[in-house]
Amino acid sequence: MTLPTLTLNDGHSIPTLGFGTYPLRGEPGVVAIRTAIDAGNRLLDTAFNYDNEGAVGRAIAASGVPREEFYVTSKLPGRYHPYEAATNAIRESTWRLGLEYLDLYLIHWPNPIEGKYVEAWQALVDAREAGIVRSIGVSNFTLEHLSAIEAATGVRPAVNQIELHPYFPQEEQLAAHKELGIVTEAWSPIGKGSAVREEPVIQELAARHGVSPTQLILRWHVQRGVIPIPKSANAQRQAENLDVFGFELSDDDVAAITALGRPDGRLFDGDPNHHQEM
Ligand SMILES: NC(=O)c1ccc[n+]([C@@H]2O[C@H](COP(=O)([O-])OP(=O)(O)OC[C@H]3O[C@@H](n4cnc5c(N)ncnc54)[C@H](OP(=O)(O)O)[C@@H]3O)[C@@H](O)[C@H]2O)c1
């Protein structure tokens, strides 16, 4: 199967659905990532801090799928925001993955209390110039953080990966991204196995469309123009999570799912203005 793609503001294409790899590590991690690839996943989302770039690289190498068919993303940890450290970490990520280049590199969290994310962004801009990464973006950036990096460097991120699921639909941030031409990726897209799948409206709409609650939620993301990156260690659920392109939600269905949103809908205290992740 070939996944549909979106075009980023730098002209590169990205699959409309991806596979989250946290916390798949070691030999069992390689096996799970292999089955995810066999099922048809090509966008693989990892991070320096997941301690599994090696496992992801090994699964890619063992898959027999040509490198150019993959879309590999990794992320820069907070402790490596200073320019020199960031430059080294990006290179280290490619070595750990065993790849010549990465398709997308993100700043994992802005860590505004440390206040070094503009330097980190400059390192990503330069890594793109050097051809080590094809596209660059951020994760967990507020609109204020986005405008700070663009003002300092003149370069707008291609992607912002944020917490986004029916309990936290991020309507304002999503609208702002669309205005800016930034593609949104959703982390914990199905609410990390939380109660969201049990919500009556999710159950009812899933039954009406003849799909699982998880497929319904993933389709909601796709129709909102958001790239979900669900994680599953299970081959059957991995295949289920890719099978979301054969049905269509109405505008009312999309609105009913979005209406599950609530101000305190974050899964943990992950407000990017305060959360520090080194
Ligand atoms: N940028 C960031 O700051 C950030 C933060 C968090 C996560 N992420 C990324 O986002 C990815 C996904 O987020 P996440 O892992 O937190 O949450 P998630 O993908 O919303 O949920 C994963 C959970 O759902 C279960 N699951 C998956 N498919 C299912 C299905 N079809 N039916 C029932 N249960 C299912 C999984 O269990 P099984 O494995 O047993 O199937 C797992 O417990 C991560 O892997 C990571 O790559 C990024």
Side-chain angles (χ1 to χ4, degrees):
M1 89 180 271
T2 307
L3 291 165
T5 56
L6 292 174
T7 304
L8 299 173
N9 61 19
D10 60 11
H12 288 294
S13 295
I14 183 170
T16 49
L17 192 148
F19 180 73
T21 67
Y22 179 80
L24 304 170
R25 301 191 181 102
E27 200 50 45
V30 175
V31 171
I33 298 162
R34 278 289 313 270
T35 59
I37 294 169
D38 291 348
N41 279 291
R42 291 296 176 266
L43 190 172
L44 304 179
D45 182 84
T46 180
F48 200 102
N49 270 352
Y50 296 171
D51 289 329
N52 72 352
E53 288 168 313
V56 172
R58 183 166 280 253
I60 289 172
S63 71
V65 176
R67 161 65 184 102
E68 58 275 14
E69 285 189 24
F70 284 101
Y71 192 94
V72 183
T73 304
S74 193
K75 314 186 192 82
L76 180 75
R79 65 187 178 284
Y80 296 143
H81 280 194
Y83 182 85
E84 205 63 37
T87 304
N88 291 337
I90 299 166
R91 179 51 90 190
E92 180 66 24
S93 283
T94 66
W95 288 334
R96 290 180 186 194
L97 280 152
L99 300 175
E100 291 293 316
Y101 69 93
L102 300 190
D103 297 277
L104 177 65
Y105 210 80
L106 308 176
I107 300 177
H108 205 149
W109 284 86
N111 289 318
I113 296 161
E114 306 291 318
K116 299 268 187 207
Y117 63 85
V118 171
E119 261 186 70
W121 183 243
Q122 188 62 56
L124 265 67
V125 170
D126 293 346
R128 188 182 65 173
E129 285 298 303
I132 301 165
V133 297
R134 295 236 160 125
S135 295
I136 52 175
V138 293
S139 180
N140 301 302
F141 271 45
T142 65
L143 299 180
E144 191 190 327
H145 306 140
L146 289 173
S147 58
I149 57 174
E150 185 171 348
T153 62
V155 181
R156 185 174 288 179
V159 168
N160 192 7
Q161 183 183 115
I162 55 175
E163 176 175 359
L164 204 173
H165 43 76
Y167 284 153
F168 203 61
Q170 298 256 32
E171 287 189 278
E172 270 175 39
Q173 180 101 17
L174 191 50
H177 286 175
K178 282 189 177 152
E179 190 83 10
L180 291 165
I182 295 173
V183 165
T184 307
E185 287 187 332
W187 62 256
S188 296
I190 51 174
K192 217 176 170 66
S194 75
V196 66
R197 287 194 298 265
E198 305 302 323
E199 288 285 347
V201 64
I202 299 284
Q203 294 279 333
E204 188 200 311
L205 285 172
R208 200 188 308 155
H209 286 281
V211 298
S212 73
T214 304
Q215 288 173 318
L216 181 86
I217 295 169
L218 293 172
R219 181 72 206 176
W220 168 77
H221 285 289
V222 169
Q223 285 190 216
R224 294 176 94 215
V226 170
I227 301 176
I229 48 167
K231 168 264 173 187
S232 177
N234 173 277
Q236 209 179 325
R237 290 192 285 280
Q238 290 167 353
E240 174 190 329
N241 294 353
L242 279 169
D243 186 14
V244 302
F245 297 98
F247 66 104
E248 186 104 26
L249 305 179
S250 69
D251 291 347
D252 285 350
D253 295 342
V254 170
I257 299 169
T258 307
L260 288 170
R262 45 204 203 196
D264 63 349
R266 287 188 192 278
L267 294 172
F268 70 103
D269 187 23
D271 180 343
N273 283 312
H274 310 291
H275 181 77
Q276 291 283 98
E277 195 159 302
M278 303 308 285

